[in-house]
Amino acid sequence: MGNQVVIIVGTFVLVVTGLLLGYVLSQLVLGYLGFNLLTLLGTISLVLIFGTLYYVLFWQLRREPSQPFKGNIPNQVDEEITGNYLKNRLIARLSGDFAAAERLIEQAKQNYPGMPENWYCERVLDDLDRDQR
């Protein structure tokens, strides 16, 4: 939410500043506005404000996609890494007995069909934890 507020406010101020800068420059070029120290400083300040907001806004937009996406679209790479991690944890829990880990996962698949692969590893690990208590 905080990033969205920065982007919305920054975009609004950027548009207003851009419009003001365009208006001042067009009036200077058309000759309706006299060129003096006040118009020079005003134009420089508008350019600085516009440039700073442009930089900050796009810096914020560039930062935002690096945050993890928490939508409904599953990320295959993350699921594979998590699945491998859980399977390795299960094998380590069983003192390296790969066959026993596979049997327990297959048994969980028969007892609870239709679940994601990671769920079965988590279920077997939870069952082993519960049995140790």
Side-chain angles (χ1 to χ4, degrees):
M1 181 70 182
N3 288 341
Q4 291 175 347
V5 170
V6 169
I7 291 170
I8 290 170
V9 170
T11 303
F12 176 75
V13 174
L14 191 65
V15 167
V16 170
T17 306
L19 289 173
L20 284 173
L21 181 61
Y23 176 76
V24 168
L25 290 176
S26 68
Q27 295 304 308
L28 280 171
V29 169
L30 292 174
Y32 297 129
L33 188 60
F35 188 74
N36 56 26
L37 184 63
L38 184 62
T39 57
L40 177 67
L41 292 176
T43 304
I44 290 173
S45 68
L46 284 173
V47 168
L48 288 175
I49 292 169
F50 187 81
T52 304
L53 280 172
Y54 186 81
Y55 175 78
V56 169
L57 182 63
F58 283 100
W59 175 72
Q60 185 72 20
L61 285 173
R62 190 179 71 227
R63 270 189 42 209
E64 191 169 338
S66 67
Q67 297 171 352
F69 178 72
K70 296 180 180 158
N72 295 331
I73 302 171
N75 188 345
Q76 287 290 50
V77 175
D78 286 345
E79 286 181 5
E80 288 176 20
I81 291 171
T82 305
N84 290 337
Y85 171 75
L86 290 171
K87 196 171 252 187
N88 288 337
R89 256 185 64 201
L90 176 60
I91 293 168
R93 175 72 61 81
L94 297 172
S95 302
D97 191 353
F98 182 78
E102 288 295 322
R103 279 195 309 273
L104 288 171
I105 291 172
E106 285 303 316
Q107 184 180 8
K109 285 181 180 179
Q110 289 175 0
N111 292 339
Y112 307 99
M115 302 301 285
E117 189 69 28
N118 293 344
W119 187 88
Y120 295 116
C121 290
E122 289 175 2
R123 178 68 187 197
V124 171
L125 284 167
D126 289 342
D127 289 344
L128 289 174
D129 285 341
R130 189 183 64 239
D131 291 344
Q132 283 183 349
R133 290 184 211 151

